[in-house]
Amino acid sequence: MTVEYQPYPEQTLFPNGGWDVHHHIFEPAKFAYAPDRHLTPPPATVQQFLAFRKKIGITNSVLTHGLSYGPDCTSLKSFVQELGESETRGIGVIDPDTTTPDELQEMHKQGIRGIRVNLYKYEAMHDVERQKQVLRDHIRAIKPHCPGWSIAFTHVHPEYWGELKPIIEQEVMTSSLHLVTDHFGLLKAASMLPAEFEGDITQQPGYTEIMDLVRSGLLYVKLSAPYRISHEAPRYADVKPLVRAFVDANPRQILWGSDWPHTPHMKVRTREDALRETPYLVIDDAEWLNSLRSWVTAEEWQAMMVSNPTRLFDW
């Protein structure tokens, strides 16, 4: 049977509430950035995000620790409290060699439910062997102490998933942890695909491995920041085949995040560029959300926006 997908007016997007599982807060006047940061963002405050959350209509959010703050989660814990502990969870950054079990337990008590891996710190963004080691190190640092936590692992080389897949199957399958990748795993929609793929998204490196991991329940994917994978703003029509592929592979593994305040594309910057303030992208979030809603059923939307994040982040 063919399922019809119809556009929905903005006011009915979240009749049962909704989760934004990927956003940031940056307040450098209150909490200084790390000196070895890879990016210097302008302020994006708690109050600005609360206004955004109200405008869009979401009810819960997962604050993802900005890598510009390094592994010091002092700011994260403060921001979670300000955002409202009853509506917010946090994703932190740790140093797997120095973070103690007591520190992890304290993070859990303060609403943190996972970590993200800072590949910039380990000069691993373009090195798959380093990525394997860094992923193992982070899993082993939290595995005995934080059952149920998630690990966000995102890089700019989808072709690496073929080599990473056995590590994920070995490490994640035998733990109570959950692996998450941001921004569609940075698979490309047709408008950003290299010409040799002739618009066929299924032929790009990493596609098969990511879909296999999603299908098996070993990988959650955030349908976030479509501007990182498509040139077709504001509705990103060419992203629909990727959305449908992920949802069809396993609707229980799909999440949505705004990526507010919309930091620029991931890349390794020179030291000079990293220390220079870089403006945010201007994104029409409402247009993107309405587009996304039109591509899924009510049941799939409820899973993506409510059931899956509630289950994953231990609400």
Side-chain angles (χ1 to χ4, degrees):
M1 183 179 75
T2 301
V3 179
E4 296 294 332
Y5 305 101
Q6 298 296 331
Y8 282 73
E10 188 174 340
Q11 63 268 25
T12 63
L13 279 173
F14 301 105
N16 303 312
W19 283 70
D20 175 354
V21 303
H22 190 103
H23 75 93
H24 310 289
I25 301 291
F26 297 107
E27 296 196 18
K30 291 173 63 175
F31 300 99
Y33 293 144
D36 61 347
R37 61 191 178 275
H38 79 292
L39 177 71
T40 300
T45 68
V46 167
Q47 291 306 313
Q48 287 173 323
F49 177 74
L50 288 173
F52 168 80
R53 190 162 80 179
K54 182 178 181 180
K55 177 183 178 182
I56 293 296
I58 55 178
T59 52
N60 302 88
S61 65
V62 180
L63 174 58
T64 301
H65 186 60
L67 298 180
S68 300
Y69 282 116
D72 181 354
C73 289
T74 304
S75 63
L76 176 69
K77 290 181 278 191
S78 176
F79 295 149
V80 167
Q81 186 174 26
E82 285 189 69
L83 287 165
E85 293 181 24
S86 61
E87 293 88 24
T88 310
R89 288 293 191 239
I91 299 298
V93 174
I94 65 169
D95 183 333
D97 295 324
T98 62
T99 302
T100 68
D102 286 345
E103 289 172 323
L104 292 171
Q105 289 303 308
E106 182 61 27
M107 290 167 69
H108 188 89
K109 290 177 184 177
Q110 297 193 45
I112 295 172
R113 290 295 182 271
I115 60 172
R116 66 187 305 202
V117 179
N118 183 1
L119 293 176
Y120 295 105
K121 173 180 171 59
Y122 303 96
E123 298 182 349
M125 190 59 76
H126 303 303
D127 188 327
V128 70
E129 293 304 321
R130 287 188 182 182
Q131 288 190 17
K132 293 176 186 177
Q133 188 57 53
V134 170
L135 180 59
R136 287 192 182 104
D137 290 344
H138 281 73
I139 289 174
R140 290 169 186 170
I142 69 171
K143 180 177 177 179
H145 313 293
C146 305
W149 272 28
S150 66
I151 298 180
F153 186 76
T154 303
H155 52 87
V156 298
H157 291 282
E159 67 272 19
Y160 287 178
W161 288 101
E163 291 194 53
L164 291 165
K165 186 182 175 189
I167 307 298
I168 295 167
E169 291 171 336
Q170 176 186 356
E171 298 286 350
V172 177
M173 190 178 291
T174 57
S175 75
S176 58
L177 303 175
H178 307 282
L179 191 68
V180 183
T181 193
D182 307 328
H183 316 325
F184 297 83
L186 292 178
L187 292 177
K188 299 298 185 287
S191 61
M192 273 197 185
L193 272 182
E196 62 263 30
F197 298 113
E198 299 181 345
D200 186 351
I201 62 170
T202 68
Q203 297 304 307
Q204 62 186 303
Y207 178 92
T208 299
E209 289 81 6
I210 291 180
M211 293 300 168
D212 285 347
L213 289 167
V214 171
R215 192 174 296 109
S216 66
L218 291 176
L219 181 67
Y220 282 85
V221 175
K222 296 177 188 175
L223 306 187
S224 55
Y227 41 86
R228 300 181 188 276
I229 65 163
S230 168
H231 290 307
E232 296 192 355
R235 296 191 68 89
Y236 304 102
D238 65 330
V239 175
K240 180 179 178 179
L242 270 177
V243 169
R244 287 308 322 166
F246 280 124
V247 173
D248 291 340
N250 193 338
R252 287 175 55 86
Q253 299 296 116
I254 309 305
L255 309 161
W256 173 79
S258 66
D259 196 36
W260 187 94
H262 311 304
T263 54
H265 291 195
M266 297 172 65
K267 68 175 184 178
V268 177
R269 293 172 172 81
T270 65
R271 185 75 184 130
E272 182 180 27
D273 285 343
L275 295 178
R276 182 186 301 116
E277 187 173 277
T278 303
Y280 298 119
L281 304 176
V282 178
I283 303 298
D284 190 330
D285 296 278
E287 281 289 305
W288 157 231
L289 273 169
N290 277 279
S291 196
L292 178 61
R293 176 63 185 92
S294 73
W295 302 334
V296 298
T297 67
E299 293 77 12
E300 292 164 345
W301 183 257
Q302 174 73 10
M304 182 193 312
M305 293 296 182
V306 182
S307 306
N308 297 345
T310 301
R311 182 180 67 251
L312 178 60
F313 297 108
D314 182 30
W315 202 247

